[in-house]
Amino acid sequence: MNTLIEHLAEACGRHRVQEKWLIAPSLRVGHQWLDQVTLAGTPVVNVRVLTVRSLALQVIGPRLAEESLTVASPAARRIAVASAWQDVMRDDGYLGEARRTPGLLALAEATILDLKLAGVAPEGFKTGAFEHRLKGHELTALLGAYQGELDRRGLIDNADAARLATAELAGNGAAGREIVLLWPEDIRLTAVEQTLLGAVAGGNVVTLAVDQPGGDDSGKDLSVRFVHAVGEANEVRGVLRSCLGEELSLDTVEVLYTASDPYVSLIYEMAQRVFDPETSLDLDIPVTFADGVPAKLSRPGRLLAAWHEWIHDGFPQSGLLRMLQAGLLTSPAGDDHAVATAGLVRTLRRTGIGFGRDRYQQCLQEHIDSIERPGSHLQSARALAGFVETLIAVSPEPSASAAEAVAAARALLGDHARVADKLDGLAVQRLGQELDSMAEALGGATADPAGFDVWQWLEELPDRITIGGSGPRPGHLHAAPLRGGGHSGRANTFVLGLNDGRFPSAGRQDPLLLDVERRQVAASLRTSDVELHEQLEQFDRVLAGLRGRLTLSFSSRSLDDDRETFASQVVLSAWRRVSLERDGDHAALMKRLDPAISFAPRDADRCLDSGEWWLYQAAREPRVENLPELAGAAFDHLARGAAAGTARASDAFTVYDGRVDDPGAELDPCDPRGPAMSATSGLQAIGKCPLAYFYARVLKIELPEHVDVNPDEWLDAMQFGTLLHDVLFRFVEKLIVDDTWPPEPERDRPVIASIVQSLAADARRRHPPPNEDAYRRQRRRLDGSAEIFVNEQARQAGPGRPVYLEASIGLPTEQRSTDIDAPDPVEVALPGGGTIRARARIDRIDRVDDGDAPKRPTFVIYDYKSSSRTDPYDPSDLFDKGRLVQHVLYMAVAGAVLRDRFGPDTVVDGFRFMFPGVRTHGREVAFGRDVVEPGLEVIRTLCALPAAGIFPATDDLADCRYCSYRAACQAVQRDLRDLCAASKRKIDNPGNTVLKPFVELRRDG
Ligand code: SF4
């Protein structure tokens, strides 16, 4: 029992039946004191715990009802301060020129309350006390305007409550009330509160003595130990490991923290990991938090923050996806949440919404209309559209009024917040109360309160509000802030976060009312140095009142930036006192302490879970020699991972490097059951990296649709390329129909400009640009390419003229069909036997003979490229070691279909890549028909790889640059250079005979 409890017990015994009012810093702390008295064997009868605030409210309760006064909620106070500031501050004033932010208003509110609690009234303000007289006048006016605003709204704040209660008692007289006031001597009171207690007491006061810091400790039952840890998370682990290793019952432990951030979150999350969820407990874990846990740890709190960001970022599709994926939103009623959400996520990814509140309904409807067959996809799209409609309905634009924004947030929590555990339920309740009180303070006003930013208030709400606060309970570990904790009377106390820089926290001056001004305005106003001193004094008092075992803990290494961190001065002082090393410095302290508590426990009996037990085995001395084998025996995936690592590190080409044993006919492009081949996603993909082809075409792994909005880009590379192709298609088609080929710049520039205008407007409707700059940049590129195309085609025009545009062979028709379109792939014979089925979409085929017999029908193929580089299409070896065969395949495919149409004499005489880009300026890279024969040899070699189940990684890092599977490969080998080097090593190993086709491509070109 500490001194306070002894005296309280004595007072309760002495005034056994008399009514007693016990003044405590909080109701929760007061009840903890009474519990200790009861536990010590003294009956507690007729004792009422009160704070100064609740005491004042009790005294003035009838008057509040009579005069229709209400205690101002935090929301109402904030609005009153904002209105007062707006009324009295001028832009050319002293404080008025400061930018009005929510932070500034919070400061102003704190300053006003300090002044009022210190008993400073506007009329008693000494304006000469300020660094500038104008500032004094402004603060006087602010104080007056704030009070006027409260009066106008029929509100009172805490200072008013204390003042009114004092006046009430003075009027009715405190004497005669047979009440004993129990008053701990260390309770901190403001001037106004002191006056109130004086009035209440009427002389019938029992002052309760407390343990004095620095007093005689010799008779105290208190042992102190010092620990340090690698980061704050391990300080928390240290507490739980002590409970386990020392067999401490949880309800004998109180954890005090110096800063709620990060300790409250760490304690909550660690407890969730270590303890099985127990639904009979308040937060499902055996831990009570005196101040609760922040609402941001709950799903509704996270939803409110994410929703705010979604609205203010312009309703991006990616924001909605993130909310769904994090499980923050309710799914359509009655469905399994995980399954229903996965369906919504999949469907949402397929719709090209981009961003914008108004685009959701329109794009989802277009998506629904595009689904041809009824089925689960259509169902999911309809469910998503219905779901989004209700979400959008409660999501206003950022320009909404404060009342609308608060009502919308309330509806969001009520209708859309997912509640999956107790914390979520409490969060919906508590956040809802805050929103209701703000709605009440706003009073449904259509005009926003001057100077008040409701969106910022909403954004900060989940951080500011705490939920699930509780006093100590049987069977629970109790966590409390250092300031206000240490009252549970438990035998084991841990104080976490005693780091230099964290405790004591630096005393900061109030920028609105400087220390020097505070001293002059009223002696009772607290200054920053007093605050600092009080922190240290409070620490000493808490320690003085503790009994049993005390552990002082600090973090000796920052995990964020991997640097050494140091103990607070209070730890050093306590250690000097305990160790009797009066001159000991930080180095001496560290030398005496046990090694830091880390992720790996030092004792087997302190492991919190099996993961910690394995870490302990990995770090212990003497070392366990065969740990990898033991781990492999216990965890099959680790054993397989180790085997894969060994195989990859060898020179042999193994199943872990892309070898498929017994691949089957369906992988063989030359087998009728095998895949039909296109140029870019088929043959050239193999030539670039067989492993990437394996991921895409064999395993059929697709990257999720990219939905993030790039603020610098209107269209991505593929969308821009498609738009340019569409423009060129329309333009050339028009000239064919009008029989005006070749183009004439003077005549045709306006024609192509109008096509660009129309198609760009359409693309803009489908893909709204993130900003006008991004649109203008790409629009200029498009305009430039269109003009270059007209000019260069006019300049290079020969006897030929386009006859087929976007011919689709083995593929569905995309634009307008041509008379050579074929739904089925065509067969292309390869040298040395074997046939592949090939498909192609050919941008343009020109006929270059004049169509008169007896000349052979002769054609040339054009392929437009929007790339700004021409070199990949102009390799020295014609086929870029297997990476370029489009020219070969297109000439072979077009030859087959054109011969069917025009007779066996028909010849495809050449192939041209055409680059109408601004940088490439209409350059053409031309190939003659002589490349077809050697090119088909290369295609044969390419096809041999999947046919044999051989899918090695590329040996050239340049191939990885734009690869979609970088993340997959980096999971195997963080540095892709190492992966390519390993592949090269295996290719160079003559023992890997199966790699012969790849060697032929890469080495023999
Ligand atoms: S990242 Fe490189 S090695 Fe991996 S699949 Fe892509 S191209 Fe091949």
Side-chain angles (χ1 to χ4, degrees), residues 269-296:
E269 285 160 3
M270 198 71 76
Q272 275 192 317
R273 279 180 45 188
V274 169
F275 301 109
D276 291 333
E278 175 55 69
T279 50
S280 62
L281 305 177
D282 279 357
L283 295 176
D284 299 340
I285 49 171
V287 180
T288 48
F289 293 86
D291 283 356
V293 299
K296 69 178 176 185

PDB file of all heavy atoms in Angstrom, residues 269-296:
ATOM      1  N   GLU A 269      -1.668  -4.476 -31.035  1.00  0.00           N
ATOM      2  CA  GLU A 269      -1.386  -5.406 -32.136  1.00  0.00           C
ATOM      3  C   GLU A 269      -0.608  -6.634 -31.652  1.00  0.00           C
ATOM      4  O   GLU A 269      -0.856  -7.752 -32.099  1.00  0.00           O
ATOM      5  CB  GLU A 269      -0.624  -4.682 -33.256  1.00  0.00           C
ATOM      6  CG  GLU A 269      -1.562  -3.780 -34.050  1.00  0.00           C
ATOM      7  CD  GLU A 269      -0.843  -2.694 -34.836  1.00  0.00           C
ATOM      8  OE1 GLU A 269       0.399  -2.654 -34.818  1.00  0.00           O
ATOM      9  OE2 GLU A 269      -1.544  -1.880 -35.442  1.00  0.00           O
ATOM     10  N   MET A 270       0.321  -6.405 -30.714  1.00  0.00           N
ATOM     11  CA  MET A 270       1.092  -7.542 -30.198  1.00  0.00           C
ATOM     12  C   MET A 270       0.171  -8.499 -29.429  1.00  0.00           C
ATOM     13  O   MET A 270       0.271  -9.719 -29.565  1.00  0.00           O
ATOM     14  CB  MET A 270       2.193  -7.015 -29.274  1.00  0.00           C
ATOM     15  CG  MET A 270       3.310  -7.983 -29.009  1.00  0.00           C
ATOM     16  SD  MET A 270       4.349  -8.211 -30.454  1.00  0.00           S
ATOM     17  CE  MET A 270       5.303  -6.715 -30.453  1.00  0.00           C
ATOM     18  N   ALA A 271      -0.749  -7.931 -28.657  1.00  0.00           N
ATOM     19  CA  ALA A 271      -1.674  -8.777 -27.892  1.00  0.00           C
ATOM     20  C   ALA A 271      -2.571  -9.570 -28.843  1.00  0.00           C
ATOM     21  O   ALA A 271      -2.878 -10.741 -28.588  1.00  0.00           O
ATOM     22  CB  ALA A 271      -2.522  -7.908 -26.963  1.00  0.00           C
ATOM     23  N   GLN A 272      -2.970  -8.943 -29.932  1.00  0.00           N
ATOM     24  CA  GLN A 272      -3.798  -9.664 -30.908  1.00  0.00           C
ATOM     25  C   GLN A 272      -3.053 -10.857 -31.490  1.00  0.00           C
ATOM     26  O   GLN A 272      -3.632 -11.884 -31.798  1.00  0.00           O
ATOM     27  CB  GLN A 272      -4.178  -8.718 -32.051  1.00  0.00           C
ATOM     28  CG  GLN A 272      -5.405  -7.879 -31.740  1.00  0.00           C
ATOM     29  CD  GLN A 272      -5.916  -7.195 -32.983  1.00  0.00           C
ATOM     30  OE1 GLN A 272      -5.116  -6.670 -33.749  1.00  0.00           O
ATOM     31  NE2 GLN A 272      -7.197  -7.193 -33.168  1.00  0.00           N
ATOM     32  N   ARG A 273      -1.735 -10.691 -31.666  1.00  0.00           N
ATOM     33  CA  ARG A 273      -0.947 -11.788 -32.248  1.00  0.00           C
ATOM     34  C   ARG A 273      -0.712 -12.901 -31.251  1.00  0.00           C
ATOM     35  O   ARG A 273      -0.706 -14.077 -31.589  1.00  0.00           O
ATOM     36  CB  ARG A 273       0.413 -11.253 -32.715  1.00  0.00           C
ATOM     37  CG  ARG A 273       0.339 -10.576 -34.059  1.00  0.00           C
ATOM     38  CD  ARG A 273       1.677 -10.067 -34.468  1.00  0.00           C
ATOM     39  NE  ARG A 273       2.743 -11.026 -34.250  1.00  0.00           N
ATOM     40  CZ  ARG A 273       4.022 -10.751 -34.392  1.00  0.00           C
ATOM     41  NH1 ARG A 273       4.391  -9.547 -34.759  1.00  0.00           N
ATOM     42  NH2 ARG A 273       4.933 -11.662 -34.199  1.00  0.00           N
ATOM     43  N   VAL A 274      -0.481 -12.509 -29.999  1.00  0.00           N
ATOM     44  CA  VAL A 274      -0.037 -13.497 -29.014  1.00  0.00           C
ATOM     45  C   VAL A 274      -1.204 -14.259 -28.388  1.00  0.00           C
ATOM     46  O   VAL A 274      -1.118 -15.454 -28.156  1.00  0.00           O
ATOM     47  CB  VAL A 274       0.797 -12.771 -27.931  1.00  0.00           C
ATOM     48  CG1 VAL A 274       1.050 -13.678 -26.739  1.00  0.00           C
ATOM     49  CG2 VAL A 274       2.107 -12.280 -28.521  1.00  0.00           C
ATOM     50  N   PHE A 275      -2.322 -13.545 -28.132  1.00  0.00           N
ATOM     51  CA  PHE A 275      -3.446 -14.193 -27.443  1.00  0.00           C
ATOM     52  C   PHE A 275      -4.509 -14.612 -28.445  1.00  0.00           C
ATOM     53  O   PHE A 275      -4.784 -13.882 -29.406  1.00  0.00           O
ATOM     54  CB  PHE A 275      -4.076 -13.245 -26.418  1.00  0.00           C
ATOM     55  CG  PHE A 275      -3.112 -12.776 -25.360  1.00  0.00           C
ATOM     56  CD1 PHE A 275      -2.657 -11.461 -25.351  1.00  0.00           C
ATOM     57  CD2 PHE A 275      -2.644 -13.646 -24.394  1.00  0.00           C
ATOM     58  CE1 PHE A 275      -1.763 -11.017 -24.381  1.00  0.00           C
ATOM     59  CE2 PHE A 275      -1.747 -13.213 -23.418  1.00  0.00           C
ATOM     60  CZ  PHE A 275      -1.299 -11.898 -23.414  1.00  0.00           C
ATOM     61  N   ASP A 276      -5.111 -15.765 -28.195  1.00  0.00           N
ATOM     62  CA  ASP A 276      -6.251 -16.166 -29.030  1.00  0.00           C
ATOM     63  C   ASP A 276      -7.397 -15.196 -28.765  1.00  0.00           C
ATOM     64  O   ASP A 276      -7.617 -14.811 -27.611  1.00  0.00           O
ATOM     65  CB  ASP A 276      -6.706 -17.586 -28.651  1.00  0.00           C
ATOM     66  CG  ASP A 276      -5.657 -18.609 -29.063  1.00  0.00           C
ATOM     67  OD1 ASP A 276      -4.923 -18.311 -30.023  1.00  0.00           O
ATOM     68  OD2 ASP A 276      -5.566 -19.660 -28.419  1.00  0.00           O
ATOM     69  N   PRO A 277      -8.138 -14.831 -29.804  1.00  0.00           N
ATOM     70  CA  PRO A 277      -9.242 -13.904 -29.569  1.00  0.00           C
ATOM     71  C   PRO A 277     -10.287 -14.524 -28.640  1.00  0.00           C
ATOM     72  O   PRO A 277     -10.616 -15.703 -28.784  1.00  0.00           O
ATOM     73  CB  PRO A 277      -9.813 -13.651 -30.972  1.00  0.00           C
ATOM     74  CG  PRO A 277      -9.186 -14.652 -31.864  1.00  0.00           C
ATOM     75  CD  PRO A 277      -7.991 -15.234 -31.198  1.00  0.00           C
ATOM     76  N   GLU A 278     -10.728 -13.744 -27.696  1.00  0.00           N
ATOM     77  CA  GLU A 278     -11.697 -14.237 -26.718  1.00  0.00           C
ATOM     78  C   GLU A 278     -12.893 -13.289 -26.727  1.00  0.00           C
ATOM     79  O   GLU A 278     -12.793 -12.138 -26.276  1.00  0.00           O
ATOM     80  CB  GLU A 278     -11.001 -14.275 -25.338  1.00  0.00           C
ATOM     81  CG  GLU A 278     -11.880 -14.655 -24.185  1.00  0.00           C
ATOM     82  CD  GLU A 278     -12.578 -15.984 -24.415  1.00  0.00           C
ATOM     83  OE1 GLU A 278     -11.891 -17.030 -24.422  1.00  0.00           O
ATOM     84  OE2 GLU A 278     -13.810 -15.955 -24.603  1.00  0.00           O
ATOM     85  N   THR A 279     -13.985 -13.743 -27.296  1.00  0.00           N
ATOM     86  CA  THR A 279     -15.100 -12.818 -27.532  1.00  0.00           C
ATOM     87  C   THR A 279     -15.755 -12.336 -26.242  1.00  0.00           C
ATOM     88  O   THR A 279     -16.466 -11.342 -26.257  1.00  0.00           O
ATOM     89  CB  THR A 279     -16.177 -13.481 -28.424  1.00  0.00           C
ATOM     90  OG1 THR A 279     -16.477 -14.747 -27.857  1.00  0.00           O
ATOM     91  CG2 THR A 279     -15.717 -13.635 -29.845  1.00  0.00           C
ATOM     92  N   SER A 280     -15.488 -13.014 -25.122  1.00  0.00           N
ATOM     93  CA  SER A 280     -16.095 -12.534 -23.878  1.00  0.00           C
ATOM     94  C   SER A 280     -15.366 -11.310 -23.332  1.00  0.00           C
ATOM     95  O   SER A 280     -15.830 -10.664 -22.403  1.00  0.00           O
ATOM     96  CB  SER A 280     -16.083 -13.652 -22.831  1.00  0.00           C
ATOM     97  OG  SER A 280     -14.739 -13.997 -22.549  1.00  0.00           O
ATOM     98  N   LEU A 281     -14.199 -10.981 -23.896  1.00  0.00           N
ATOM     99  CA  LEU A 281     -13.429  -9.826 -23.406  1.00  0.00           C
ATOM    100  C   LEU A 281     -13.817  -8.569 -24.185  1.00  0.00           C
ATOM    101  O   LEU A 281     -14.231  -8.649 -25.349  1.00  0.00           O
ATOM    102  CB  LEU A 281     -11.926 -10.083 -23.566  1.00  0.00           C
ATOM    103  CG  LEU A 281     -11.404 -11.371 -22.900  1.00  0.00           C
ATOM    104  CD1 LEU A 281      -9.920 -11.558 -23.182  1.00  0.00           C
ATOM    105  CD2 LEU A 281     -11.648 -11.328 -21.402  1.00  0.00           C
ATOM    106  N   ASP A 282     -13.630  -7.403 -23.549  1.00  0.00           N
ATOM    107  CA  ASP A 282     -14.083  -6.145 -24.154  1.00  0.00           C
ATOM    108  C   ASP A 282     -13.518  -5.912 -25.544  1.00  0.00           C
ATOM    109  O   ASP A 282     -14.224  -5.556 -26.471  1.00  0.00           O
ATOM    110  CB  ASP A 282     -13.676  -4.957 -23.264  1.00  0.00           C
ATOM    111  CG  ASP A 282     -14.657  -4.818 -22.126  1.00  0.00           C
ATOM    112  OD1 ASP A 282     -15.622  -5.594 -22.107  1.00  0.00           O
ATOM    113  OD2 ASP A 282     -14.451  -3.940 -21.266  1.00  0.00           O
ATOM    114  N   LEU A 283     -12.205  -6.066 -25.681  1.00  0.00           N
ATOM    115  CA  LEU A 283     -11.572  -5.852 -26.992  1.00  0.00           C
ATOM    116  C   LEU A 283     -11.102  -7.179 -27.583  1.00  0.00           C
ATOM    117  O   LEU A 283     -10.220  -7.201 -28.436  1.00  0.00           O
ATOM    118  CB  LEU A 283     -10.394  -4.886 -26.867  1.00  0.00           C
ATOM    119  CG  LEU A 283     -10.745  -3.448 -26.465  1.00  0.00           C
ATOM    120  CD1 LEU A 283      -9.484  -2.612 -26.276  1.00  0.00           C
ATOM    121  CD2 LEU A 283     -11.633  -2.796 -27.519  1.00  0.00           C
ATOM    122  N   ASP A 284     -11.640  -8.262 -27.106  1.00  0.00           N
ATOM    123  CA  ASP A 284     -11.286  -9.624 -27.540  1.00  0.00           C
ATOM    124  C   ASP A 284      -9.888 -10.045 -27.118  1.00  0.00           C
ATOM    125  O   ASP A 284      -9.410 -11.098 -27.524  1.00  0.00           O
ATOM    126  CB  ASP A 284     -11.407  -9.795 -29.075  1.00  0.00           C
ATOM    127  CG  ASP A 284     -12.815  -9.550 -29.584  1.00  0.00           C
ATOM    128  OD1 ASP A 284     -13.746  -9.629 -28.765  1.00  0.00           O
ATOM    129  OD2 ASP A 284     -12.974  -9.283 -30.792  1.00  0.00           O
ATOM    130  N   ILE A 285      -9.196  -9.201 -26.341  1.00  0.00           N
ATOM    131  CA  ILE A 285      -7.848  -9.548 -25.858  1.00  0.00           C
ATOM    132  C   ILE A 285      -7.781  -9.253 -24.358  1.00  0.00           C
ATOM    133  O   ILE A 285      -8.496  -8.373 -23.880  1.00  0.00           O
ATOM    134  CB  ILE A 285      -6.740  -8.730 -26.580  1.00  0.00           C
ATOM    135  CG1 ILE A 285      -7.086  -7.236 -26.583  1.00  0.00           C
ATOM    136  CG2 ILE A 285      -6.481  -9.242 -27.977  1.00  0.00           C
ATOM    137  CD1 ILE A 285      -5.974  -6.340 -27.066  1.00  0.00           C
ATOM    138  N   PRO A 286      -6.906  -9.967 -23.616  1.00  0.00           N
ATOM    139  CA  PRO A 286      -6.861  -9.747 -22.167  1.00  0.00           C
ATOM    140  C   PRO A 286      -5.997  -8.540 -21.793  1.00  0.00           C
ATOM    141  O   PRO A 286      -5.044  -8.663 -21.023  1.00  0.00           O
ATOM    142  CB  PRO A 286      -6.270 -11.064 -21.639  1.00  0.00           C
ATOM    143  CG  PRO A 286      -5.422 -11.553 -22.753  1.00  0.00           C
ATOM    144  CD  PRO A 286      -6.047 -11.104 -24.019  1.00  0.00           C
ATOM    145  N   VAL A 287      -6.293  -7.409 -22.380  1.00  0.00           N
ATOM    146  CA  VAL A 287      -5.567  -6.175 -22.066  1.00  0.00           C
ATOM    147  C   VAL A 287      -6.590  -5.059 -21.936  1.00  0.00           C
ATOM    148  O   VAL A 287      -7.494  -4.949 -22.771  1.00  0.00           O
ATOM    149  CB  VAL A 287      -4.563  -5.795 -23.183  1.00  0.00           C
ATOM    150  CG1 VAL A 287      -3.822  -4.510 -22.831  1.00  0.00           C
ATOM    151  CG2 VAL A 287      -3.565  -6.917 -23.433  1.00  0.00           C
ATOM    152  N   THR A 288      -6.480  -4.255 -20.880  1.00  0.00           N
ATOM    153  CA  THR A 288      -7.319  -3.066 -20.769  1.00  0.00           C
ATOM    154  C   THR A 288      -6.448  -1.839 -21.024  1.00  0.00           C
ATOM    155  O   THR A 288      -5.278  -1.813 -20.652  1.00  0.00           O
ATOM    156  CB  THR A 288      -7.948  -2.957 -19.365  1.00  0.00           C
ATOM    157  OG1 THR A 288      -6.925  -3.171 -18.392  1.00  0.00           O
ATOM    158  CG2 THR A 288      -9.059  -3.961 -19.180  1.00  0.00           C
ATOM    159  N   PHE A 289      -7.034  -0.844 -21.661  1.00  0.00           N
ATOM    160  CA  PHE A 289      -6.307   0.391 -21.952  1.00  0.00           C
ATOM    161  C   PHE A 289      -7.020   1.545 -21.242  1.00  0.00           C
ATOM    162  O   PHE A 289      -8.200   1.790 -21.508  1.00  0.00           O
ATOM    163  CB  PHE A 289      -6.298   0.668 -23.459  1.00  0.00           C
ATOM    164  CG  PHE A 289      -5.505  -0.333 -24.251  1.00  0.00           C
ATOM    165  CD1 PHE A 289      -6.078  -1.514 -24.686  1.00  0.00           C
ATOM    166  CD2 PHE A 289      -4.170  -0.094 -24.534  1.00  0.00           C
ATOM    167  CE1 PHE A 289      -5.348  -2.444 -25.403  1.00  0.00           C
ATOM    168  CE2 PHE A 289      -3.423  -1.019 -25.257  1.00  0.00           C
ATOM    169  CZ  PHE A 289      -4.015  -2.194 -25.697  1.00  0.00           C
ATOM    170  N   ALA A 290      -6.289   2.203 -20.353  1.00  0.00           N
ATOM    171  CA  ALA A 290      -6.920   3.278 -19.576  1.00  0.00           C
ATOM    172  C   ALA A 290      -7.507   4.344 -20.493  1.00  0.00           C
ATOM    173  O   ALA A 290      -8.612   4.819 -20.267  1.00  0.00           O
ATOM    174  CB  ALA A 290      -5.885   3.908 -18.645  1.00  0.00           C
ATOM    175  N   ASP A 291      -6.785   4.692 -21.523  1.00  0.00           N
ATOM    176  CA  ASP A 291      -7.267   5.742 -22.437  1.00  0.00           C
ATOM    177  C   ASP A 291      -7.851   5.172 -23.719  1.00  0.00           C
ATOM    178  O   ASP A 291      -8.091   5.907 -24.664  1.00  0.00           O
ATOM    179  CB  ASP A 291      -6.109   6.690 -22.803  1.00  0.00           C
ATOM    180  CG  ASP A 291      -5.810   7.645 -21.666  1.00  0.00           C
ATOM    181  OD1 ASP A 291      -6.546   7.595 -20.663  1.00  0.00           O
ATOM    182  OD2 ASP A 291      -4.859   8.441 -21.776  1.00  0.00           O
ATOM    183  N   GLY A 292      -8.039   3.867 -23.797  1.00  0.00           N
ATOM    184  CA  GLY A 292      -8.561   3.255 -25.027  1.00  0.00           C
ATOM    185  C   GLY A 292      -7.499   3.196 -26.116  1.00  0.00           C
ATOM    186  O   GLY A 292      -6.336   3.550 -25.900  1.00  0.00           O
ATOM    187  N   VAL A 293      -7.916   2.737 -27.274  1.00  0.00           N
ATOM    188  CA  VAL A 293      -7.001   2.662 -28.428  1.00  0.00           C
ATOM    189  C   VAL A 293      -7.534   3.600 -29.513  1.00  0.00           C
ATOM    190  O   VAL A 293      -8.737   3.852 -29.577  1.00  0.00           O
ATOM    191  CB  VAL A 293      -6.867   1.222 -28.984  1.00  0.00           C
ATOM    192  CG1 VAL A 293      -6.308   0.296 -27.942  1.00  0.00           C
ATOM    193  CG2 VAL A 293      -8.192   0.701 -29.486  1.00  0.00           C
ATOM    194  N   PRO A 294      -6.637   4.130 -30.341  1.00  0.00           N
ATOM    195  CA  PRO A 294      -7.121   5.093 -31.336  1.00  0.00           C
ATOM    196  C   PRO A 294      -8.088   4.459 -32.332  1.00  0.00           C
ATOM    197  O   PRO A 294      -7.901   3.299 -32.735  1.00  0.00           O
ATOM    198  CB  PRO A 294      -5.849   5.569 -32.046  1.00  0.00           C
ATOM    199  CG  PRO A 294      -4.728   4.772 -31.509  1.00  0.00           C
ATOM    200  CD  PRO A 294      -5.205   3.896 -30.411  1.00  0.00           C
ATOM    201  N   ALA A 295      -9.083   5.228 -32.730  1.00  0.00           N
ATOM    202  CA  ALA A 295     -10.087   4.715 -33.675  1.00  0.00           C
ATOM    203  C   ALA A 295      -9.450   4.332 -35.001  1.00  0.00           C
ATOM    204  O   ALA A 295      -9.997   3.537 -35.754  1.00  0.00           O
ATOM    205  CB  ALA A 295     -11.171   5.764 -33.895  1.00  0.00           C
ATOM    206  N   LYS A 296      -8.262   4.869 -35.292  1.00  0.00           N
ATOM    207  CA  LYS A 296      -7.630   4.555 -36.582  1.00  0.00           C
ATOM    208  C   LYS A 296      -7.197   3.083 -36.666  1.00  0.00           C
ATOM    209  O   LYS A 296      -6.873   2.602 -37.749  1.00  0.00           O
ATOM    210  CB  LYS A 296      -6.441   5.478 -36.842  1.00  0.00           C
ATOM    211  CG  LYS A 296      -5.277   5.240 -35.938  1.00  0.00           C
ATOM    212  CD  LYS A 296      -4.117   6.135 -36.276  1.00  0.00           C
ATOM    213  CE  LYS A 296      -2.999   5.918 -35.272  1.00  0.00           C
ATOM    214  NZ  LYS A 296      -1.885   6.800 -35.413  1.00  0.00           N
TER     215      LYS A 296
END
